[in-house]
Amino acid sequence: MRVCIHRGTKQIGGSCIELAHEGVRILLDVGLPLDGEFGDTSLLPPVTQGIAAVIVSHPHVDHYGLLHHLPPGTPVCIGAAARRIIQAAAPFTGQPLPPLDGFDLQHRTPLQIGPFRVTPYLVDHSAYDAYGLLVEAGDKRLFYSGDFRGHGRKGRLFEGFLQHPPSNIDVLLMEGTTLSRLEEDDAFPSEAALEKQLLEQIRATSGLVMVYASAQNIDRVVTLYRACKQAGRTLVIDLYTAAILEATGNDSIPQSFWPGVVLFTPERQRRQIVRLQAFDLLKRHARQRVYREGLQQLAANAVLLFRPLHMEDLVAADVLDGARFIYSQWSGYLADEASQKWLHWLQEAGIEMHQIHTSGHASPSDLQRFARALNPARLVPIHSFSPEKYPQQFDNVEFRQDGEWWDV
């Protein structure tokens, strides 16, 4: 089995790994770089022809965002819920909808693709339906960690994996996102800890609470719903969020029709609905819909899952007196040009921003536990801006370069 990390040995985002054996080639992820554009074909590694299948570890664009450039008919293996989430999100986000026909990944259920045997392992991550991947071919065993953590609402998956990991790993391709963000002994708060912090902030607020979090961070939506329920407040979501939650197919995930949840479609989204002809989708989720007047009446007892397209409606509904704003995403996004408009809007409204967040990636200490459990013959850094830190924390580290072919 031969390996080429086309992109990822020295950066976060844009992950793409090619494996070859007995004339058959597969890809693990075909991601869009964090600063890349979907239409930029120059970002696609030289892999467009002859790929037997693409295995996508999870539904984040830095792992699947260049799929639409591959030839039609290329099989895409991904979790069933992850597939539905990508399909549900694309019309609202403007992301190209890639071809997604292929096998579904299922936890610890092997999949045979020519000479490759691929076994997915469901992991704890901020993306729903995320997997690490064991790939076997030619009597060699490679494990690709994908993106993972141990402090989310699926932390039991992480602990269970450590207790029963696959054995005899020749190569571990392991993400190290947090090595450029945390010191070795630092740790992230859990989602349960965030729930308590959010509850305190909600109870300390007389008006509307706005929480800016990704609708695709399902753990965070669950955390927010649980905090709302304890505070006796109603969670307000938009149609995009309702569609993502529905796409999980999980009855234990909050939905638009649950008690304590209402749907509010801001004006900009109403125009989207008309353009997309998404009236059936709206009808499915409109059972508990409120309009501006209803939002105004509800504001003092509501928590809004905020998106920038809400700004005009919130001003028009006159619901900003006594409001509180909580930012619950990676702080690095605050430097983006797109964030400046809503940051200025907050400043103009005289609303202070509070940050309550935890990472979707494993802390350095959990990365060490993960590496020890797998005990690979070689550990190759990937998905990190700080690969030089790996030898300080892990055994058997071996550096590779983007575009370099090597043997497992």
Side-chain angles (χ1 to χ4, degrees):
M1 179 162 51
R2 305 200 72 213
V3 184
C4 178
I5 302 173
H6 288 290
R7 184 165 45 235
T9 61
K10 296 181 179 66
Q11 71 184 75
I12 296 170
S15 299
C16 183
I17 303 144
E18 184 174 356
L19 305 180
H21 186 66
E22 294 181 350
V24 179
R25 296 155 55 216
I26 64 173
L27 296 179
L28 310 182
D29 290 338
V30 188
L32 179 73
L34 296 180
D35 57 353
E37 298 292 336
F38 288 100
D40 187 352
T41 56
S42 69
L43 296 174
L44 186 69
V47 296
T48 55
Q49 300 297 327
I51 297 298
V54 181
I55 299 94
V56 176
S57 61
H58 64 279
H60 276 164
V61 293
D62 65 322
H63 291 259
Y64 78 83
L66 294 176
L67 273 178
H68 60 287
H69 290 303
L70 295 179
T74 303
V76 177
C77 305
I78 187 173
R83 193 189 312 273
R84 294 192 299 268
I85 287 170
I86 293 172
Q87 293 168 333
F92 290 95
T93 61
Q95 298 167 359
L97 181 60
L100 291 170
D101 293 336
F103 295 107
D104 292 341
L105 300 182
Q106 299 182 52
H107 182 46
R108 293 182 182 258
T109 301
L111 179 66
Q112 196 72 35
I113 304 170
F116 295 99
R117 179 182 171 92
V118 181
T119 305
Y121 287 77
L122 192 64
V123 298
D124 180 20
H125 183 43
S126 54
Y128 193 79
D129 204 18
Y131 295 88
L133 302 168
L134 172 65
V135 183
E136 301 170 86
D139 296 324
K140 297 294 183 179
R141 292 162 64 87
L142 175 147
F143 196 92
Y144 171 46
S145 73
D147 292 355
F148 71 98
R149 63 179 177 179
H151 55 274
R153 292 200 172 275
K154 301 179 291 296
R156 285 177 295 182
L157 285 172
F158 178 69
E159 298 300 332
F161 181 90
L162 298 187
Q163 293 175 18
H164 303 285
S167 58
N168 301 318
I169 301 300
D170 295 292
V171 170
L172 168 60
L173 304 179
M174 190 180 74
E175 74 124 313
T177 305
T178 63
L179 297 182
S180 58
R181 301 175 184 174
L182 286 185
E183 297 301 321
E184 181 177 348
D185 295 330
D186 289 343
F188 292 109
S190 65
E191 287 290 333
L194 259 61
E195 182 181 322
K196 293 179 180 178
Q197 294 178 44
L198 285 166
L199 180 59
E200 290 174 1
Q201 293 284 334
I202 292 169
R203 285 175 170 168
T205 306
S206 60
L208 177 69
V209 177
M210 298 171 282
V211 179
Y212 192 0
S214 170
Q216 294 193 41
N217 187 341
I218 304 300
D219 273 12
R220 194 61 39 79
V221 177
V222 171
T223 293
L224 187 55
Y225 177 78
R226 288 172 57 92
C228 286
K229 189 173 181 180
Q230 294 173 72
R233 291 213 178 199
T234 298
L235 176 61
V236 183
I237 63 174
D238 67 342
L239 188 60
Y240 165 69
T241 302
I244 296 300
L245 295 174
E246 179 185 46
T248 66
N250 188 336
D251 293 338
S252 299
I253 301 296
Q255 301 291 331
S256 62
F257 55 84
W258 275 29
V261 179
V262 300
L263 179 77
F264 174 71
T265 54
E267 178 60 34
R268 284 176 56 190
Q269 191 167 79
R270 286 198 289 270
R271 293 196 292 268
Q272 273 187 323
I273 292 167
V274 173
R275 177 174 55 82
L276 298 171
Q277 296 292 291
F279 303 113
D280 288 342
L281 178 66
L282 178 61
K283 184 177 180 180
R284 284 207 308 274
H285 294 286
R287 188 185 311 176
Q288 295 168 181
R289 185 180 182 185
V290 297
Y291 298 85
R292 283 182 182 174
E293 298 77 11
L295 183 63
Q296 187 178 48
Q297 296 171 6
L298 190 62
N301 293 297
V303 175
L304 171 71
L305 187 61
F306 174 87
R307 297 176 65 212
L309 53 74
H310 284 106
M311 293 188 295
E312 295 175 7
D313 293 79
L314 296 176
V315 172
D318 192 22
V319 294
L320 296 180
D321 286 345
R324 186 179 298 257
F325 188 94
I326 298 170
Y327 184 74
S328 190
Q329 298 191 86
W330 177 50
S331 60
Y333 294 137
L334 294 172
D336 292 349
E337 183 178 348
S339 298
Q340 301 315 302
K341 183 176 181 179
W342 63 261
L343 286 169
H344 179 72
W345 176 80
L346 282 180
Q347 186 178 28
E348 288 289 304
I351 299 174
E352 181 183 0
M353 183 182 72
H354 305 266
Q355 295 191 52
I356 299 178
H357 184 56
T358 194
S359 179
H361 300 270
S363 64
S365 61
D366 280 344
L367 289 171
Q368 291 172 353
R369 296 175 66 203
F370 187 84
R372 285 197 299 268
L374 284 169
N375 190 28
R378 292 180 285 168
L379 190 157
V380 177
I382 194 169
H383 204 277
S384 177
F385 287 130
S386 299
E388 73 282 355
K389 293 186 177 181
Y390 276 65
Q392 305 166 24
Q393 303 191 35
F394 312 109
D395 296 328
N396 306 320
V397 173
E398 180 176 281
F399 294 108
R400 291 295 175 178
Q401 303 297 319
D402 284 358
E404 172 193 2
W405 279 98
W406 45 280
D407 294 329
V408 173

